[in-house]
Amino acid sequence: MTGRHNGRDVFEYALLRVVPRVERGELINAGVVVYCQAKSFVAARVHLDEARLLALDPTADVAGVRAALGAVQGVCSGGERAGQAAGDDPGRRFRWLIAPRSTIVQPGPVHTGLTADPERESERLLDLLVR
């Protein structure tokens, strides 16, 4: 799905979910990754509710979860913080980040929408779906 519609561009997003005990299947939303091909934009916004995380698993590695979320933000920002993905274009970094994985921080399904401002959209989605 590409193109421009009524002054808005197509974008894709996926929630970042924290699953502290995979065997239980319980999770909290802790961020969102937004990609807009037309704007060459990819960004992650995160908000970790430590109290909710610890309610699911009192032994959760909060520092480790924060580091994993920070790594996602680093890949999105590119450059040195992106590690091996530093030379990849925004779309390739987004696709790598949303690939299914069974770690404590997991991407949710990809959704699409239209936006005139992907930066503002990422903040809106964070407020709507995470905070």
Side-chain angles (χ1 to χ4, degrees), residues 75-129:
V75 169
C76 286
S77 66
E80 232 177 78
R81 289 187 63 203
Q84 291 181 331
D88 291 341
D89 63 71
R92 190 170 166 101
R93 292 196 312 267
F94 177 74
R95 297 282 171 244
W96 183 79
L97 289 169
I98 61 156
R101 52 184 50 94
S102 38
T103 59
I104 193 167
V105 175
Q106 301 176 7
V110 175
H111 305 279
T112 61
L114 295 170
T115 186
D117 184 347
E119 179 79 37
R120 198 165 27 181
E121 191 67 37
S122 60
E123 290 296 329
R124 186 188 77 79
L125 289 170
L126 184 70
D127 286 340
L128 179 69
L129 302 172

Side-chain angles (χ1 to χ4, degrees), residues 12-115:
E12 300 172 75
Y13 73 94
L15 285 168
L16 295 173
R17 307 180 298 192
V18 177
V19 185
R21 293 176 57 195
V22 176
E23 70 277 9
R24 291 183 60 136
E26 299 169 329
L27 60 91
I28 63 168
N29 293 337
V32 63
V33 181
V34 173
Y35 169 60
C36 180
Q37 180 181 10
K39 304 277 190 198
S40 292
F41 176 89
V42 64
R45 300 292 179 262
V46 300
H47 173 81
L48 180 61
D49 185 331
E50 289 183 22
R52 288 182 68 200
L53 174 60
L54 293 171
L56 290 180
D57 181 1
T59 66
D61 178 4
V62 175
V65 170
R66 284 203 181 281
L69 292 169
V72 171
Q73 289 178 302
V75 169
C76 286
S77 66
E80 232 177 78
R81 289 187 63 203
Q84 291 181 331
D88 291 341
D89 63 71
R92 190 170 166 101
R93 292 196 312 267
F94 177 74
R95 297 282 171 244
W96 183 79
L97 289 169
I98 61 156
R101 52 184 50 94
S102 38
T103 59
I104 193 167
V105 175
Q106 301 176 7
V110 175
H111 305 279
T112 61
L114 295 170
T115 186

